[in-house]
Amino acid sequence: MEKVQHNHVQAKELKLHVTQIGTSPKVVVFLHGYPEIWYSWRHQMIAVDNAGYRAISIDCTSCCQGFRGLRIAAMVGKLHPHRVSTIVLLGVPFLLPGLSPLQAQLPLIPPSFYMLRWMVPGRAEADFGRFDTKIVIRKVYTMFSGSLPQVAVDDQEILDLVDSSAPLPPWLSEEDIPEYGSLYEKSGFRTALQVPYRTMMQSCRLDDGKIRVPGLVIMVEQDYIMKFTGLEDYIRTGKVKEFAPNLDVTFLAQGNHFVQEQLPEEMNYLIISFLIKHCK
C-alpha cells in the first residue's frame, strides 16, 4: 500500500482521515461499516486506480458522533444526485434511515441478537472493554464471517460467542489485524457503534425516499445477513426497487459478509464493470 496518501480533512465539525490513490478527475469514494476501516477497501482501491479512477477511502473510525448513518452513500445519492454517478453497496441493500420497511420486522428478532444488543448504549462498550482492541477485531471478523446470525443466550455477551483463540478467516492475515486494532485503539468503538446501530431508527427527514441514481447491490447467498428477518424477501421480490428504481441486484453463491476482502478479484470486476457502464 505504498501508493496510498494519507490526509486529514476538516469538514465543518468533522475531522476526517482520508486516504487516496491516484489523481484522476473520475473519483470513486469508498465508505465502510463496522468493524471495517479504510484498509478494508485496499484491494478495490488499487484496482480502480489501475482502471483509471482516483480511489478515496474515508476512515469512518476517526469521525466524531456527528457523522451518522450506515447508509451515508444512499443519503448522498438522494440529496446530491448531480454529484453522484453511481452507488454500489455490498452486503446491505438500499435503505434510508427512518424509511426502511424492515423496521417493522424488529419486534420479531430475538432480543439477544447482536444488532439489538449493540443498540443499547453502554452494552457493547462494556463487552468490548474486557479485551484488547485487536482481540475485539479478531472476534468480530471471525463471528461475522459465518453464515448464521449472531444470537447470544440471556446471560452471555456477544463477543463470548467466539473463542479468542479461534483461527482467523483464511483471507485475513495476522499482519492485517494491527491495521484495524491501532485505529480503534485511538478512536474507541462508540462512534463505530453509533453509526450503523444506534441511529438506525432515526428519521432522515425525507418526504421522498427514492434514490434515482443508478445503483448496484451485491449480496452473498452465504452471508449471515441474508437470514435477517424480511431482508431476502425485500430484495428478491423487487420491493427494494421502490426505493431505488434504477437498481441492479447481483447475488453471489460463495463468500461472506466481507466479500470485498475474501473475493477481491470478483468484486473488482463487478464494481469496475458497473463504473464503466455508468461513468462515462
Side-chain angles (χ1 to χ4, degrees):
M1 301 298 289
E2 295 82 5
K3 297 173 65 176
V4 176
Q5 299 177 5
H6 295 259
N7 298 285
H8 287 86
V9 178
Q10 192 73 37
K12 295 186 178 180
E13 74 273 18
L14 306 181
K15 187 175 183 180
L16 306 176
H17 172 206
V18 179
T19 64
Q20 64 178 324
I21 303 177
T23 59
S24 172
K26 297 187 295 183
V27 177
V28 180
V29 178
F30 295 94
L31 300 170
H32 66 82
Y34 175 77
E36 297 163 306
I37 59 175
W38 73 267
Y39 181 79
S40 307
W41 294 109
R42 59 197 179 279
H43 305 297
Q44 287 68 45
M45 292 179 72
I46 294 170
V48 299
D49 172 52
N50 291 338
Y53 301 88
R54 177 157 55 117
I56 296 178
S57 183
I58 298 176
D59 176 24
C60 300
T61 66
S62 65
C63 305
C64 71
Q65 291 190 32
F67 196 48
R68 294 178 176 234
L70 173 65
R71 302 157 195 98
I72 298 167
M75 288 288 289
V76 172
K78 166 61 185 171
L79 296 174
H80 305 284
H82 59 291
R83 304 195 66 176
V84 177
S85 298
T86 63
I87 302 174
V88 180
L89 297 183
L90 305 187
V92 180
F94 280 73
L95 300 166
L96 289 171
L99 294 176
S100 169
L102 299 182
Q103 289 179 0
Q105 305 293 332
L106 288 178
L108 304 177
I109 299 172
S112 55
F113 182 53
Y114 86 94
M115 185 180 294
L116 299 186
R117 283 278 186 90
W118 290 355
M119 283 182 180
V120 180
R123 182 71 184 258
E125 289 88 335
D127 185 6
F128 295 1
R130 300 176 296 153
F131 304 99
D132 177 85
T133 54
K134 298 180 183 66
I135 297 296
V136 174
I137 295 300
R138 292 182 69 99
K139 282 175 168 281
V140 174
Y141 257 93
T142 302
M143 179 171 60
F144 284 3
S145 294
S147 59
L148 296 176
Q150 299 77 35
V151 181
V153 297
D154 291 343
D155 59 349
Q156 183 184 39
E157 296 300 330
I158 295 298
L159 289 191
D160 292 333
L161 292 171
V162 179
D163 190 277
S164 298
S165 62
L168 289 171
W171 43 266
L172 189 67
S173 72
E174 294 290 347
E175 290 71 30
D176 292 325
I177 294 298
E179 295 284 349
Y180 294 83
S182 62
L183 284 179
Y184 280 109
E185 283 175 359
K186 297 175 185 177
S187 68
F189 292 101
R190 178 173 296 178
T191 299
L193 294 163
Q194 178 82 358
V195 171
Y197 304 112
R198 296 174 185 170
T199 60
M200 184 180 298
M201 304 300 291
Q202 292 184 358
S203 171
C204 58
R205 299 187 177 90
L206 296 176
D207 294 330
D208 175 10
K210 295 186 184 299
I211 303 161
R212 291 180 170 80
V213 300
L216 172 64
V217 170
I218 303 171
M219 303 296 295
V220 181
E221 302 276 4
Q222 301 302 315
D223 189 348
Y224 76 88
I225 202 170
M226 290 296 290
K227 295 182 175 63
F228 190 97
T229 305
L231 183 67
E232 184 169 7
D233 183 67
Y234 172 70
I235 300 170
R236 291 195 185 277
T237 63
K239 190 171 182 61
V240 63
K241 293 189 178 184
E242 295 179 11
F243 296 86
N246 299 313
L247 181 66
D248 294 339
V249 179
T250 296
F251 284 92
L252 299 180
Q254 302 298 321
N256 60 43
H257 195 59
F258 305 107
V259 68
Q260 81 274 23
E261 297 185 79
Q262 183 186 18
L263 302 173
E265 292 184 3
E266 288 88 337
M267 287 301 98
N268 295 346
Y269 173 78
L270 289 171
I271 292 170
I272 292 172
S273 297
F274 193 74
L275 292 174
I276 291 172
K277 180 179 179 182
H278 293 283
C279 303
K280 306 299 185 182

